[in-house]
Amino acid sequence: MRCIADPAADFDDAIVKDWPEWLPRESARTDSFIRMRLGSQLLRDQDREASVIISAGQAPRTRLAFLPVSDAVRLMCLAAAWTGAPSLVSQLRSADVVAARSVLGEDAFAFAFQAALLPRPTAALMSAIGASELPNGPAELLHCGAVMFGLAMGCIPDALQVRLRLRSPGSIWTLVANACRNDSAGEDAFHAMRRLVRNRMALWSRWFD
């Protein structure tokens, strides 16, 4: 319901143009009424048919789009750590370790050492997320995780894709939205995401069964 009624709850500041000087942005974030009005303004040229979005939630893959933003980004970080586990666990320089923890988070970085023992992503999935040649930096790995997250959703309604593009950080969610399509690697991506959910977020993993 929040995805429909309050789409600006986690909006990216860079997306909103001509912000009124008399209204502090923090006030808009904390006031649900202002935030909903902002969402209506941002989506005024879009089909806001709620039934289309609700129907999309009947498919387990599409349910990824309804995750709270914090959980979704954490899941992308875990996917990034799984993708780049060999390079992450071999880092020796303190600066590289600090950078990886800063971008991916402590939980995802720690997970990389466990992920190194898991089966690697399939060659088709690595190619689909642009990781055929293992990315060097944590930011590139996070981008791969975002693409995997989008592929896992498959093809979603335009109204739902627009809402994804409003979220913060905008650069990451743009990658997610651009990857939402029917792709031969999509099923592999979804099974990978579900495996990560059950491994690290077991409390609500049954939602994807």
Side-chain angles (χ1 to χ4, degrees):
M1 292 302 297
R2 181 176 179 180
C3 183
I4 297 167
D6 196 2
D10 300 286
F11 72 93
D12 191 314
D13 289 341
I15 293 170
V16 186
K17 306 299 181 183
D18 302 320
W19 188 273
E21 294 183 4
W22 53 268
L23 177 61
R25 296 198 181 202
E26 193 56 38
S27 298
R29 290 183 186 280
T30 56
D31 188 305
S32 58
F33 178 75
I34 296 176
R35 208 169 53 228
M36 286 182 217
R37 291 290 299 272
L38 174 61
S40 297
Q41 179 182 353
L42 290 170
L43 299 168
R44 63 184 180 276
D45 297 326
Q46 300 295 327
D47 177 9
R48 290 177 286 168
E49 186 66 40
S51 61
V52 174
I53 297 177
I54 293 171
S55 296
Q58 295 176 5
R61 288 178 60 179
T62 312
R63 289 175 193 166
L64 287 166
F66 297 96
L67 289 183
V69 170
S70 58
D71 281 341
V73 172
R74 181 181 168 213
L75 193 51
M76 292 177 214
C77 290
L78 292 174
W82 181 48
T83 300
S87 63
L88 290 173
V89 299
S90 64
Q91 288 178 346
L92 299 176
R93 295 195 311 167
S94 297
D96 293 336
V97 173
V98 169
R101 283 176 170 161
S102 175
V103 173
L104 302 178
E106 185 65 42
D107 182 46
F109 184 80
F111 174 66
F113 291 84
Q114 178 184 346
L117 302 177
L118 297 176
R120 303 301 305 136
T122 63
L125 181 54
M126 291 289 277
S127 176
I129 64 176
S132 294
E133 295 183 5
L134 199 60
N136 293 322
E140 290 82 1
L141 286 173
L142 180 55
H143 291 173
C144 291
V147 173
M148 190 187 298
F149 189 85
L151 276 176
M153 282 188 221
C155 188
I156 64 175
D158 290 341
L160 186 51
Q161 190 177 108
V162 169
R163 282 158 173 75
L164 295 184
R165 293 178 184 275
L166 296 179
R167 295 175 177 175
S168 178
S171 58
I172 295 299
W173 285 100
T174 296
L175 289 170
V176 172
N178 288 346
C180 291
R181 60 184 183 272
N182 286 326
D183 190 283
S184 58
E187 283 292 336
D188 284 346
F190 175 66
H191 290 307
M193 284 293 165
R194 190 161 59 176
R195 186 183 303 119
L196 292 173
V197 165
R198 286 176 173 164
N199 191 285
R200 306 293 286 193
M201 301 175 168
L203 289 178
W204 44 263
S205 65
R206 285 174 293 182
W207 199 38
F208 297 104
D209 289 340

